[in-house]
Amino acid sequence: MTVLIVGGSGFLGTKLVRQASAAGYFTAATYATSPGSVAEATWYNLDLRDECRVEEVVASLAPCLIINASSGSTDWEVTAEGPIRLAVTAAKHNCRLVHVSSDAVFSGTRVHYDESCLPDPLSPYGAAKATAETGIRLLAPDAAIARTSLIIGGIQSEHVRLVHDLATGCRTVSLFTDDIRCPVHVGDLAAALLELASTDARGVHHLAGPDAVSRHGLGVLIAQRDGLDASRLPEGLRVATALPGALDVRLDCRATQVKLRTRLRGVHEFL
């Protein structure tokens, strides 16, 4: 069975590639700038803005499963339109598609969001992710969409790198005490995505940890784990800035969690 991990050189993608390879799948993975570090995978350069290249890679591999773990940040063509191109191609070649989305699709007005809640994004990134979700559900209705939150692991995680930089004085930005999310461990998320992919689940699913913490609270936990001085982490209020996006978004994952053997641990357990 061939598995294609789109965005395989990224933080989550690397973990997916390793777990898929360890599970015995023939694993192919894509990258935008340079191949990833997992030697067991076969690597392909792929720009999701290039419709012909998307078709070429999928047609040549004929994968049974595609997991889209790519991240184009606020690049609309990559983050919004790219997954839709991938969905069209997956449907054309009868490939199972699992797409990784984000809690950024929500405004935070409700605070608690389950899988039935409709997107109401406040940021360009959230709008791009919401657009991708809508296109995928229309064009590949059998696909599974997995919304997640802050992905944490080792120093490869951008959130962990930021804490290290702040604690050592390399950066001076503030960690917000009013910006609250439900972090998930990268290993748990990768395992849950592969398990979800092995089922016939379709539509939207939530995969995040059960513990809600602020960005600053998360930073303190990371600093304590890694032996850093947490008192050096600057505090701030996001509400006092002009940054777009929600303040408090907590993904309710109970409906998805009961269907999975993989347990999504809370941040207070894995940090």
Side-chain angles (χ1 to χ4, degrees), residues 10-198:
F11 179 48
L12 173 59
T14 297
K15 183 63 71 172
L16 281 165
V17 170
R18 286 177 176 154
Q19 290 192 6
S21 299
Y25 297 118
F26 176 80
T27 306
T30 74
Y31 63 93
T33 54
S34 59
S37 59
V38 184
E40 293 82 0
T42 303
W43 292 92
Y44 296 82
N45 180 251
L46 179 65
D47 185 339
L48 285 176
R49 296 171 296 185
D50 187 338
E51 182 178 355
C52 293
R53 181 58 177 163
V54 172
E55 167 67 25
E56 180 183 359
V57 171
V58 173
S60 65
L61 288 169
C64 295
L65 167 65
I66 301 173
I67 299 181
N68 180 27
S70 63
S71 176
S73 188
T74 56
D75 187 319
W76 187 267
E77 282 192 89
V78 176
T79 304
E81 297 175 6
I84 295 174
R85 295 186 188 95
L86 191 61
V88 170
T89 307
K92 175 182 176 181
H93 293 278
N94 197 31
C95 304
R96 169 75 162 143
L97 175 64
V98 175
H99 170 74
V100 181
S101 190
S102 167
D103 58 11
V105 302
F106 295 124
S107 69
T109 304
R110 300 176 54 125
V111 178
H112 299 277
Y113 292 86
D114 64 21
E115 288 86 346
S116 68
C117 295
L118 297 177
D120 60 341
L122 295 178
S123 68
Y125 174 69
K129 293 299 256 184
T131 298
E133 285 189 12
T134 301
I136 290 169
R137 296 188 73 176
L138 176 66
L139 299 168
D142 290 332
I145 296 168
R147 295 183 185 132
T148 192
S149 191
L150 305 182
I151 307 173
I152 308 300
I155 196 65
Q156 297 83 7
S157 166
E158 63 176 291
H159 310 291
V160 175
R161 287 199 305 273
L162 174 59
V163 170
H164 279 246
D165 287 348
L166 292 173
T168 56
C170 296
R171 296 177 67 178
T172 57
V173 299
S174 295
L175 293 177
F176 300 126
T177 57
D178 59 346
D179 188 332
I180 299 171
R181 297 294 186 272
C182 295
V184 64
H185 191 277
V186 64
D188 295 349
L189 178 57
L193 287 167
L194 287 168
E195 184 181 351
L196 187 68
S198 70

